[in-house]
Amino acid sequence: MTVNDRRIDSLRDLIQSFRPRAVVELIWHACLTYDVESFRVRRFVEDEMRLPYLKIETDYSPSDSARLAVRIEAMLETVSSRAGGNAGVR
């Protein structure tokens, strides 16, 4: 596998254009290509863009719902606390 700089560049452009308060990356279970890149994406989002990052790996089975809900809720709390309690999340 080679380094995918275009993905990071696209992500940078999207963050600058839309100014999100967090980044959630969805990885399909067993999708090795994106799973391998997630380390680099996380480092970019957290270190360079200074945003909270959440990686979700799922196969979209109903059994994932409760686990995903807890993780997403925790992310929203993090975003809200960074915004000074303002829960308006994009």
Side-chain angles (χ1 to χ4, degrees):
M1 288 187 188
T2 61
V3 174
N4 187 355
D5 289 327
R6 287 180 44 203
R7 185 164 185 226
I8 296 297
D9 292 341
S10 293
L11 187 55
R12 179 182 287 109
D13 292 343
L14 288 168
I15 290 170
Q16 289 171 347
S17 294
F18 293 100
R19 302 181 59 180
R21 294 187 186 158
V23 172
V24 177
E25 182 175 26
L26 175 68
I27 308 289
W28 290 104
H29 183 70
C31 183
L32 184 60
T33 303
Y34 288 106
D35 196 22
V36 167
E37 281 189 337
S38 67
F39 175 79
R40 186 167 180 239
V41 170
R42 180 183 194 135
R43 192 173 65 217
F44 167 73
V45 168
E46 291 181 341
D47 295 347
E48 290 187 40
M49 302 310 290
R50 301 281 187 220
L51 292 171
Y53 168 90
L54 174 63
K55 172 183 163 185
I56 293 178
E57 186 174 349
T58 184
D59 61 1
Y60 274 114
S61 68
S63 63
D64 276 353
S65 297
R67 178 181 63 86
L68 295 179
V70 168
R71 295 186 67 213
I72 292 167
E73 192 173 312
M75 168 63 82
L76 292 175
E77 287 176 13
T78 299
V79 169
S80 179
S81 68
R82 281 184 167 207
N86 183 1
V89 178
R90 279 194 218 184

